[in-house]
Amino acid sequence: MIEKNYSGPVTYEDWINLGRIIIPCLKGRPIVKGWSDPSFKVTKEEWKKNYPHCEIALRLDRDVDLDIDNQLAQRFIGHYIKECSAISGREGNPSSHYWWKDEIEFTQFKLPSELKHTFENLPHGAMLCELRHGHDKYTIVPGSKHSKANEYVKWEKYAGLNEYTGDLRADVGKVALSTALCILYAPQGQRDAYCTAIAGVLLKHAQWDVNEIDEFVYNIAIAANDDEALKRRSKGSSGEKANKNLGLPKLAEIIGCSPRGVAELFSWIG
């Protein structure tokens, strides 16, 4: 459960005092030219005079925003994301942004286009989540109204913008892959083979120990509301002992896509 702590930067003065670059926006769009130039800067005086009516967007030069687009991902955050000291959201989409002071390659995690039938009716389509960072990226921050809803963005937790302790890209990859495999979870009658195949792929291609694989598969089964989730908990252990494991071809068959599409999902964890 997230501890509610609403202190944190919410005004243009707050962000500028933190040494951050902020961009004036209306309906989520920058209203100034050159906002992505390394030399771009808005002073307190300029903001007060010209942009008091604008939303505040933080340019992500020094910070990383994990933007959660598919709410299923929330079921896996607690399993794979280490402590986060800054979390924001809005009433209609709580805990949707996780913040760190860090540098990382901008990465989007989205379902392959051949699986369109599984995501075409989702609010954000194929997009599950993204790691946002770079001087050409920005996010509307707490204290401003959301660009697509009549709601204000708020801090749900704020204890500073801190560096991530671990491999953020790898940990978010686990969240994204779990989310995808939960969305694609097999129907009754194929669930055991589905979970066995997930474990088989991980045993063959990932440098994980069997206990990690056991928990990974079990977490997906729980999130997918599998009423026999406990039976899936030893798929890594039992798969290691088996002479022949199910893998990518079987998983692709159950999901209804190409092995290449499944491999694309598993590439998120390397």
Side-chain angles (χ1 to χ4, degrees):
M1 184 176 179
I2 296 172
E3 178 186 352
K4 297 297 182 183
N5 181 354
Y6 295 102
S7 65
V10 293
T11 67
Y12 67 88
E13 292 104 328
D14 292 338
W15 286 108
I16 292 174
N17 287 341
L18 286 172
R20 300 306 200 267
I21 302 298
I22 55 174
I23 306 163
C25 291
L26 290 176
K27 296 184 178 180
R29 301 285 185 178
I31 63 168
V32 291
K33 295 181 179 179
W35 62 267
S36 62
D37 293 341
S39 61
F40 176 81
K41 185 178 182 180
V42 177
T43 65
K44 292 181 185 179
E45 292 74 21
E46 289 172 325
W47 196 287
K48 182 178 180 179
K49 179 180 178 181
N50 300 318
Y51 310 118
H53 59 295
C54 291
E55 304 146 5
I56 302 170
L58 174 64
R59 198 173 77 173
L60 299 169
D61 302 70
R62 298 169 52 184
D63 305 294
V64 175
D65 168 25
L66 170 56
D67 182 358
I68 303 295
D69 289 302
N70 189 296
Q71 291 188 336
L72 267 178
Q74 294 288 355
R75 302 185 185 186
F76 303 102
I77 291 287
H79 294 298
Y80 304 116
I81 298 300
K82 299 177 177 64
E83 176 63 23
C84 179
S85 59
I87 304 170
S88 65
R90 56 187 173 84
E91 186 176 347
N93 193 15
S95 303
S96 50
H97 292 266
Y98 292 73
W99 301 85
W100 295 273
K101 182 180 72 174
D102 216 331
E103 295 183 4
I104 198 168
E105 183 180 356
F106 172 68
T107 309
Q108 294 183 316
F109 300 88
K110 54 185 179 180
L111 295 168
S113 57
E114 66 177 295
L115 293 170
K116 184 178 180 179
H117 64 284
T118 68
F119 62 73
E120 58 187 345
N121 294 322
L122 297 178
H124 294 275
M127 191 67 67
L128 305 179
C129 60
E130 59 183 15
L131 278 167
R132 303 177 56 76
H133 172 74
H135 64 85
D136 58 343
K137 303 291 184 297
Y138 65 87
T139 298
I140 302 298
V141 289
S144 294
K145 186 173 286 188
H146 190 267
S147 60
K148 297 178 181 177
N150 188 29
E151 299 172 336
Y152 278 88
V153 182
K154 297 181 180 180
W155 290 115
E156 298 178 22
K157 177 181 181 181
Y158 188 84
L161 295 168
N162 301 320
E163 294 183 3
Y164 189 74
T165 55
D167 188 333
L168 180 58
R169 171 62 178 76
D171 291 345
V172 173
K174 292 177 182 178
V175 171
L177 177 58
S178 299
T179 304
L181 293 174
C182 187
I183 291 170
L184 303 170
Y185 205 73
Q188 290 282 2
Q190 293 184 296
R191 292 178 174 178
D192 195 71
Y194 181 76
C195 291
T196 301
I198 292 172
V201 175
L202 294 173
L203 284 166
K204 184 174 182 180
H205 298 285
Q207 296 179 344
W208 294 10
D209 64 44
V210 294
N211 292 327
E212 189 175 3
I213 294 172
D214 286 345
E215 285 302 305
F216 185 80
V217 175
Y218 176 67
N219 291 338
I220 293 168
I222 287 290
N225 299 315
D226 186 341
D227 56 8
E228 295 186 301
L230 280 174
K231 293 184 178 180
R232 326 297 183 202
R233 194 165 197 167
S234 61
K235 290 300 180 182
S237 305
S238 59
E240 186 183 44
K241 299 172 185 176
N243 293 324
K244 184 178 181 181
N245 295 311
L246 301 178
L248 280 175
K250 185 63 177 179
L251 202 52
E253 176 190 324
I254 294 171
I255 292 172
C257 70
S258 67
R260 183 172 181 171
V262 177
E264 183 180 333
L265 299 177
F266 279 84
S267 72
W268 297 344
I269 58 164

